[in-house]
């Protein structure tokens, strides 16, 4: 409630009320959180029941009251100890009843007074109150103090939000020093105890000093508060400003096309413009960048478009390596990396020479055919090296889906280019040597025909514009040099085979493997395991034992692994601080590789009539195989086991029929079929076997069984038979002969009409064995079966021997 609530005539004109009341019994009103000064006026809210009664009675009796400050504002019902003894006597000018039952009282301060003696505590305090007189002061010092207080007050008004210019006006218009101090302290917001101190100070000079002190403390506090406030404000302003500037910067960048998305787009644009791309690629890429610009960067579409752009911009459309067509270099590179393979190397060099003269790489695709581990891949790498081209390879084994070659259309989720384009990207040039492994293993099924896609890749007439479903822009593959590899020729789709120049790489015999191991595999593995040359030495015997006792393969892949195993073992010992150098001989090899796995077993296996050694041809090279026959009481049934294919089963039937028809001439009881059941088994039963070339061996085994004559144990044979007993030619002569030599066979029986195929067999291999060419079965039997002897009878427990 403010002063304006009073009408003009109710305003009290100041008089000297001290004269009116000198010492009296007055009601005492405690004031919670302020100190009231003489000559001031203020509205008071009165809520306490006792105080309301006090106000009512005093106002009714027109009695002044003593207003004293409570020592603690929180005390609800102050006792005499809870109040200051000195206060201000005041007159109640007006009482307002408020709707909530409380009252608003307008009081006017009259003079300083002190409680002498309390006469009543309930319902409110009452006591003898005595006026106290102040000591007046005058002089320059007082004037100066008054001026200083006025100045200080001016500052306070500037700083304190609760002081107004009207307050300042009041002070400035007051002349009485005592009143100046009182009013200043009354108006400003300082602690109650400071105000009380002023009230109690009766010496006006001292009062002025104290008031000045408290005022300047307040000003300081206000200034400090203001400073802090300004700093906080500054801080807030600054962050607001920064935010604002940043927003502006964003807008400006966006206008200039320099924001993040734009930077990406701009970079792409620059790549498209400055990169060396064919016209069509540039056009498509530019269109795609435009599309990208209109998309939201977090949309899935954006990622798809972005990936596509990356693909087409990353592909080496126009990047080629320069060819080194020096045939001498190529020769050196091939020689450096490979032992033997003379015919193969010559064919490769011829091929390169023709390419050089024709000055392009078009022409039939080279296809290396041979068992695993004979160096097909490493030949390809050597060619790439010699030409100075990049080398990439991709396996076609198990590729059934055309899309793997040609890619998926971009409408598929997660679509990517096919493996050809992936390989080209990996190579980083458009003319790498690109090796397509296992072309004999591409499958055709409902997912499309990968072979026809391959045809397009390999056909020089078409592959200058190879279309990948993902890219949609044709890629020129005509500079790429494709080399295919296969284990077998037959399964290669004929259309593909037609386009390829087949180079057969035969298996190795032991001597060749020994050379390869010594010259290439050992140095390579030793270096790879961080061993020095003098730290590890393999004896020839040890290497031979590793070749024959620990591996049985056409190539040298497992041999290389075994050598690596030994090197690893040695490296471990060296690292553990063992001796400095190791010699690997037959005695220590078991420490590194465990026990020998393969044994030259032919002589042991041929231990009774009914067993013969044949030669087989498998995708992993030639191999020897045993055919075992046995008879038991029965009715002429033929039992065949060992996962034989239909053709092989028919060979067995044919052999039996031939024997039946020629029993007498062969020295066999003619009615053997009525007495016995015959069982033919080909061991290694888990491996499926088929083909007609085992006919000769089946027949020999059966005749051996029925005549009781043993088959020579240094002999292996191959050939198809007819019902008449003619021996027909077979395939895979080279691999079979090599396998025979590898197994320690001394003589090989071959069909007469295969005689010319021997030219394919390397001369050194040919020198290792004797050949017997045959065209009729009786020749085979006469040569292979030992003369009948008593001791050739089957030994007891023969069945157990077979089971082993
Ligand atoms: P493939 O591709 O025919 O299966 P790799 O090329 O992978 O065989 O050859 C297997 C390992 O044998 C390679 O380390 C290779 O260098 C080595 N190798 C094969 N043949 C020879 C050889 N004639 N001379 C030297 N190293 C050879």
């Amino acid at each position: 409630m403010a002063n304006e609530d009073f009408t003009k005539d109710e305003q009290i004109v100041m008089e000297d009320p001290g004269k009116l009341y000198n010492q009296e019994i007055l009601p005492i009103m405690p004031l919670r959180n302020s100190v009231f000064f003489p000559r001031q006026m203020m509205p008071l809210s009165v809520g306490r029941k006792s105080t309301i009664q006090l106000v009512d009675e005093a106002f009714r009796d027109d009695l002044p009251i003593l207003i004293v400050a409570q020592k603690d504002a929180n005390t609800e019902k102050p006792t005499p100890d809870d109040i200051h003894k000195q206060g201000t006597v005041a007159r109640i000018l007006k009482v307002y009843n408020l709707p909530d039952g409380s009252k608003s009282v307008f009081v006017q301060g009259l003079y300083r007074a002190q409680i002498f003696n309390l006469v009543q505590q309930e319902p409110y305090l009452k006591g003898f109150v005595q006026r106290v007189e102040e000591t007046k002061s005058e002089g320059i010092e007082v004037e100066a103090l008054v001026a200083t207080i006025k100045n200080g007050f001016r500052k306070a008004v500037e700083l304190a939000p609760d002081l107004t210019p009207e307050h300042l006006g009041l002070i400035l218009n007051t002349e009485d020093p005592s009143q100046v101090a009182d009013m200043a302290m009354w108006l400003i917001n300082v602690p109650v105890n400071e105000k009380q101190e002023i009230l109690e100070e009766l010496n006006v000079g001292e009062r002025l000093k104290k008031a000045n002190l408290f005022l300047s403390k307040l000003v300081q506090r206000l200034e400090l508060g203001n400073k802090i406030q300004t700093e906080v404000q500054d801080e807030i302003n600054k962050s607001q400003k920064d935010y604002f500037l940043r927003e502006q910067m964003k807008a400006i960048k966006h206008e200039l096309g320099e924001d993040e998305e734009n930077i990406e787009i701009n970079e792409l644009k620059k790549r498209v413009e400055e990169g060396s791309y064919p016209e069509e690629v540039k056009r498509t890429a530019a269109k795609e960048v435009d599309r990208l610009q209109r998309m939201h960067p977090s949309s899935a579409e954006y990622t798809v478009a972005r990936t596509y752009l990356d693909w087409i911009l990353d592909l080496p459309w126009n990047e080629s390596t320069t060819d080194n067509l020096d045939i001498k270099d190529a020769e050196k590179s091939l020689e450096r990396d490979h032992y033997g393979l003379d015919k193969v190397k010559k064919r490769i060099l011829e091929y390169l020479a023709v390419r050089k003269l024709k000055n392009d790489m078009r022409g039939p695709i080279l296809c290396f055919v041979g068992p695993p581990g004979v160096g097909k891949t490493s030949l390809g790498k050597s060619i790439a090296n010699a030409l100075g081209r990049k080398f990439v390879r991709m396996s076609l084994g198990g590729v059934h889906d055309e899309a793997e070659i040609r890619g998926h259309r971009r409408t598929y989720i997660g679509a990517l280019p096919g493996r050809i384009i992936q390989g080209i990207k990996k190579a980083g040039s458009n003319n790498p040597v690109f090796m397509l492994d296992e072309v004999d293993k591409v499958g055709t099924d409902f997912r499309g025909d990968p072979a026809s896609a391959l045809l397009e890749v390999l056909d020089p007439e078409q592959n200058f514009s190879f279309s990948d479903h993902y890219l949609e822009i044709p890629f020129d593959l005509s500079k790429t040099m494709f080399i295919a590899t296969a284990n077998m020729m037959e399964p290669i789709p004929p259309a593909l085979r037609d386009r390829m120049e087949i180079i057969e790489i035969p298996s190795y015999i032991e001597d060749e493997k020994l050379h390869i191991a010594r010259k290439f595999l050992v140095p390579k593995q030793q270096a790879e395991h961080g061993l020095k040359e003098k730290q590890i030495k393999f004896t020839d015997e040890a290497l031979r034992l590793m070749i024959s006792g620990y591996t049985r393969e056409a190539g040298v892949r497992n041999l290389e692994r075994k050598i690596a195993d030994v090197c690893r073992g040695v490296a471990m010992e060296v690292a553990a601080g063992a001796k400095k150098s190791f010699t690997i001989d037959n005695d220590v090899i078991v420490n590194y590789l465990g026990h020998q796995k393969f044994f030259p077993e032919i002589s042991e296996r041929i231990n009774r009539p009914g067993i013969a050694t044949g030669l087989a041809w498998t995708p992993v090279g030639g191999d020897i195989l045993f055919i075992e026959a046995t008879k038991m009481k029965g009715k002429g049934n033929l039992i065949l086991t060992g996962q034989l294919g239909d053709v092989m089963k028919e060979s067995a039937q044919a052999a039996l029929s031939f024997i039946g028809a020629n029993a007498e001439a062969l020295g066999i009881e003619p009615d053997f079929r009525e007495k016995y059941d015959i069982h033919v088994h080909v061991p290694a039963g888990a491996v499926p076997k088929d083909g007609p070339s085992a006919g000769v061996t089946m027949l020999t085994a059966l005749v051996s069984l029925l005549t009781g004559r043993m088959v020579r144990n240094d002999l292996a044979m191959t050939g198809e038979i007819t019902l008449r007993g003619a021996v027909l030619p077979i395939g895979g002569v080279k691999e079979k002969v090599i396998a025979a030599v590898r197994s320690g066979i001394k003589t090989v029986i071959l069909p007469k009409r295969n005689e010319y195929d021997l030219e394919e067999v390397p001369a050194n291999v040919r020198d290792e064995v004797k050949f017997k060419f045959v065209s009729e079965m009786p020749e085979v039997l006469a040569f292979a079966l030992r003369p009948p002897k008593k001791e050739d009878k089957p030994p007891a427990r023969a069945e157990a021997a077979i089971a082993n």
Side-chain angles (χ1 to χ4, degrees):
M1 199 176 295
N3 290 1
E4 290 87 278
D5 289 340
F6 296 90
T7 53
K8 216 174 172 123
D9 46 2
E10 281 171 329
Q11 297 266 339
I12 302 299
V13 182
M14 199 64 69
E15 53 194 284
D16 188 358
K19 284 178 192 147
L20 293 176
Y21 317 101
N22 223 343
Q23 187 183 11
E24 265 175 294
I25 295 176
L26 296 181
I28 300 164
M29 180 201 258
L31 198 59
R32 269 176 196 275
N33 44 18
S34 192
V35 176
F36 192 49
F37 285 87
R39 300 188 202 81
Q40 308 308 322
M41 283 196 272
M42 73 163 172
L44 277 175
S45 284
V46 182
R48 279 185 271 202
K49 223 171 133 204
S50 53
T51 320
I52 290 177
Q53 190 178 351
L54 178 152
V55 168
D56 280 345
E57 288 176 8
F59 190 55
R60 180 194 62 205
D61 303 340
D62 195 19
L63 201 66
I65 56 173
L66 177 74
I67 299 178
V68 290
Q70 262 179 228
K71 285 178 181 162
D72 179 357
N74 295 324
T75 314
E76 203 45 48
K77 190 154 178 36
T79 61
D81 290 340
D82 296 328
I83 52 172
H84 287 284
K85 294 286 168 292
Q86 190 154 329
T88 300
V89 172
R91 182 160 54 190
I92 299 175
L93 300 179
K94 193 94 185 162
V95 176
Y96 292 92
N97 296 321
L98 297 181
D100 62 352
S102 65
K103 291 184 188 293
S104 182
V105 186
F106 202 75
V107 289
Q108 180 190 28
L110 301 175
Y111 52 85
R112 285 173 164 76
Q114 205 171 355
I115 303 170
F116 240 60
N117 211 353
L118 278 175
V119 294
Q120 169 188 319
Q121 289 203 26
E122 293 294 338
Y124 48 85
L125 296 172
K126 224 180 198 180
F128 273 103
V129 170
Q130 167 125 40
R131 176 177 179 143
V132 287
E133 294 300 334
E134 55 187 17
T135 342
K136 299 261 185 235
S137 303
E138 277 173 1
I140 289 192
E141 197 187 358
V142 172
E143 280 169 31
L145 278 169
V146 168
T148 318
I149 287 176
K150 287 184 176 175
N151 244 340
F153 198 85
R154 192 194 305 276
K155 271 192 201 151
V157 171
E158 279 168 20
L159 296 168
D162 56 336
L163 294 176
T164 63
E166 284 76 47
H167 291 137
L168 180 62
L170 280 177
I171 290 275
L172 293 182
N173 288 331
T174 308
E175 291 305 327
D176 176 26
S178 150
Q179 212 178 334
V180 167
D182 283 356
M183 188 181 286
M185 286 312 282
W186 163 240
L187 290 174
I188 64 175
N189 187 11
V190 292
V192 172
N193 59 350
E194 286 181 8
K195 290 193 178 193
Q196 183 67 28
E197 221 179 295
I198 296 295
L199 183 73
E200 287 177 12
E201 183 54 68
L202 299 177
N203 184 319
V204 174
E206 287 307 310
R207 191 188 303 163
L208 282 169
K209 275 185 198 158
K210 280 185 179 162
N212 189 30
L213 179 72
F214 296 148
L215 183 64
S216 49
K217 258 166 65 183
L218 173 77
V219 170
Q220 265 179 20
R221 253 200 324 272
L222 287 171
E223 273 175 348
L224 201 64
N226 250 23
K227 196 167 157 238
I228 293 169
Q229 187 59 27
T230 323
E231 276 171 10
V232 170
Q233 195 61 38
D234 282 355
E235 198 55 40
I236 293 169
N237 286 350
K238 188 173 171 327
S239 62
Q240 270 177 349
K241 196 168 124 196
D242 285 358
Y243 172 78
F244 183 66
L245 286 176
R246 250 184 233 116
E247 284 301 304
Q248 265 187 331
M249 196 153 77
K250 247 196 219 165
I252 292 169
K253 273 193 175 171
H254 187 73
E255 274 307 303
L256 292 174
E258 286 172 7
D259 48 347
E260 228 157 85
E261 293 106 52
N262 265 313
I263 289 174
E264 197 177 333
I265 299 279
N266 286 341
E267 270 170 14
L268 285 171
K269 275 189 181 155
K270 206 165 136 206
R271 261 179 90 184
V272 175
E273 272 161 33
E274 293 175 6
S276 147
Y277 300 108
E279 216 23 67
E280 193 176 352
V281 175
K282 277 203 170 187
R283 219 173 325 117
T284 312
K287 223 164 72 192
E288 208 62 25
V289 174
D290 263 2
R291 245 163 52 81
L292 208 59
Q293 207 163 6
R294 276 178 273 121
M295 288 180 207
H296 198 273
S298 55
S299 67
E301 234 190 336
Y302 187 93
T303 323
V304 172
R306 184 66 230 252
T307 315
Y308 175 68
L309 257 174
D310 279 341
W311 267 102
I312 61 173
L313 294 180
D314 284 350
L315 276 181
W317 299 91
N318 287 332
E319 277 128 58
S320 319
T321 50
T322 324
D323 276 348
N324 170 14
L325 282 174
D326 190 329
I327 300 297
K328 281 256 153 9
D329 284 351
E331 194 176 348
K332 260 192 240 155
S333 165
L334 288 174
E335 283 302 332
R336 191 182 55 226
D337 298 341
H338 299 94
Y339 169 82
L341 300 173
D342 295 338
K343 243 166 92 184
V344 177
K345 289 175 188 164
K346 197 163 148 248
R347 288 279 294 280
I348 294 173
L349 293 176
E350 285 166 3
Y351 177 89
L352 293 179
V354 173
R355 298 290 150 264
K356 181 180 178 180
L357 292 184
K358 270 180 66 191
N359 208 13
D360 72 11
M361 276 292 160
R362 292 193 179 196
I365 310 296
L366 283 180
C367 178
F368 298 151
V369 178
V374 290
K376 299 183 295 295
T377 312
S378 73
L379 278 171
K381 283 186 189 158
S382 283
I383 294 174
N385 251 343
L387 290 172
R389 291 187 176 206
K390 299 271 174 54
F391 179 83
V392 275
R393 62 189 287 216
M394 137 191 186
S395 175
L396 294 168
V399 169
H400 288 279
D401 192 347
E402 191 193 351
E404 290 204 38
I405 308 244
R406 219 193 257 288
H408 283 287
R409 296 194 186 283
R410 256 187 300 151
T411 42
Y412 280 83
I413 290 171
L416 278 183
R419 297 220 213 158
I420 300 286
I421 292 298
Q422 292 190 18
I424 293 285
K425 183 182 168 190
K426 204 162 108 197
S429 79
N430 63 6
N431 63 343
V433 171
F434 201 129
M435 192 159 243
L436 301 166
D437 278 337
E438 306 189 309
V439 269
D440 51 343
K441 301 207 177 56
V442 281
T444 298
D445 64 14
F446 64 94
R447 282 166 287 192
D449 181 5
S452 68
L454 264 188
L455 268 184
E456 196 188 319
V457 171
L458 297 179
D459 185 354
E461 301 302 324
Q462 295 185 50
N463 71 5
F464 63 89
S465 71
F466 169 70
S467 65
D468 183 283
H469 287 328
Y470 180 82
L471 287 191
E472 287 174 352
I473 312 169
F475 192 91
D476 181 2
L477 289 174
S478 63
K479 294 193 189 118
T480 305
M481 179 176 181
F482 287 101
I483 299 177
T485 78
N487 291 140
M488 293 204 276
M489 220 145 71
E490 282 69 27
I492 305 176
L496 269 180
R497 208 184 323 156
D498 278 356
R499 286 187 169 66
M500 300 199 288
E501 186 169 337
I502 306 286
I503 297 184
E504 284 194 67
I505 306 182
S507 324
Y508 297 120
I509 58 166
E510 190 176 305
D511 276 344
E512 287 172 315
K513 289 186 183 178
L514 181 66
H515 269 106
I516 294 173
R518 195 144 288 306
K519 263 192 82 184
F520 298 94
L521 307 181
V522 170
K524 188 165 135 196
Q525 290 306 325
Q526 159 220 311
E528 256 171 41
H529 288 83
L531 294 167
K532 296 206 185 67
E533 212 177 304
K534 55 180 192 312
Q535 275 175 319
I536 183 165
K537 207 167 132 324
F538 286 84
T539 64
D540 277 2
E541 288 65 42
L543 287 173
R544 277 186 197 279
L545 181 62
M546 288 165 78
I547 293 166
S548 62
Y550 288 90
T551 63
R552 176 176 281 174
E553 56 175 349
V556 291
R557 200 174 279 172
N558 285 324
L559 179 60
E560 186 170 13
R561 265 183 222 140
K562 294 292 166 197
I563 293 173
D565 288 348
V566 175
C567 289
R568 196 162 44 244
V570 169
M572 272 272 289
E573 291 182 53
V574 171
K579 33 179 197 162
K580 297 243 149 45
S581 73
F582 288 78
T583 303
I584 308 299
D585 57 22
N586 279 5
D587 297 336
V588 300
I589 226 157
V590 64
N591 301 341
Y592 299 101
L593 299 179
H595 289 291
Q596 191 172 335
K597 290 197 188 76
F598 303 104
F599 297 90
E601 52 186 347
I602 297 168
S603 51
E604 285 148 42
R605 295 288 285 265
I606 313 276
N607 55 6
R608 62 177 197 110
I611 304 174
T613 315
L615 290 171
W617 182 49
T618 69
V620 295
D623 205 354
I624 58 164
L625 95 180
F626 297 97
I627 293 186
E628 300 169 349
T630 189
K631 61 182 181 184
M632 53 217 126
K633 281 220 156 46
K635 294 202 181 76
N637 292 323
L638 176 62
I639 305 156
L640 298 164
T641 52
Q643 279 221 53
L644 310 187
D646 286 345
V647 179
M648 214 163 180
K649 283 181 184 163
E650 282 165 11
S651 290
Q653 299 276 8
L656 206 58
S657 298
F658 175 82
I659 295 171
N662 299 281
E664 235 167 309
L666 295 168
I668 297 168
E669 319 166 52
D671 59 349
F672 75 95
R673 293 198 74 167
E674 274 124 54
K675 291 191 193 162
Y676 304 113
D677 281 349
I678 291 182
H679 184 172
V680 176
H681 178 65
V682 187
V687 186
K689 309 166 193 82
D690 204 6
S693 70
V696 179
T697 325
M698 296 243 184
L699 189 72
T700 308
L702 285 170
V703 174
S704 162
L705 173 78
L706 294 168
T707 58
R709 292 164 66 184
M710 294 264 284
V711 181
R712 281 171 55 180
N713 64 7
D714 60 346
L715 186 78
M717 61 194 81
T718 179
E720 184 177 352
I721 53 162
T722 68
L723 281 180
R724 271 180 39 281
V727 177
L728 301 183
I730 41 74
V733 169
K734 188 173 52 185
E735 292 300 329
K736 286 176 174 172
V737 171
I738 292 173
V741 172
R742 195 160 60 220
S743 308
I745 298 284
K746 296 287 177 275
T747 311
V748 176
I749 297 178
L750 286 176
K752 181 107 180 101
R753 277 162 61 190
N754 279 119
E755 200 171 346
Y756 293 114
D757 293 330
L758 274 194
E759 284 170 17
E760 288 177 21
V761 181
N764 53 345
V765 179
R766 254 184 291 161
D767 294 345
E768 298 268 321
V769 275
K770 293 203 186 73
F771 296 95
K772 169 78 180 163
F773 298 103
V774 293
S775 44
E776 299 287 337
M777 261 326 281
E779 293 173 63
V780 179
L781 297 173
F783 187 78
L785 296 178
R786 290 195 174 153
K789 272 191 209 162
K790 279 240 151 65
E791 55 272 27
D792 280 353
K793 283 269 171 339
R797 314 191 58 185
E799 301 306 321
I802 292 170
N804 286 332

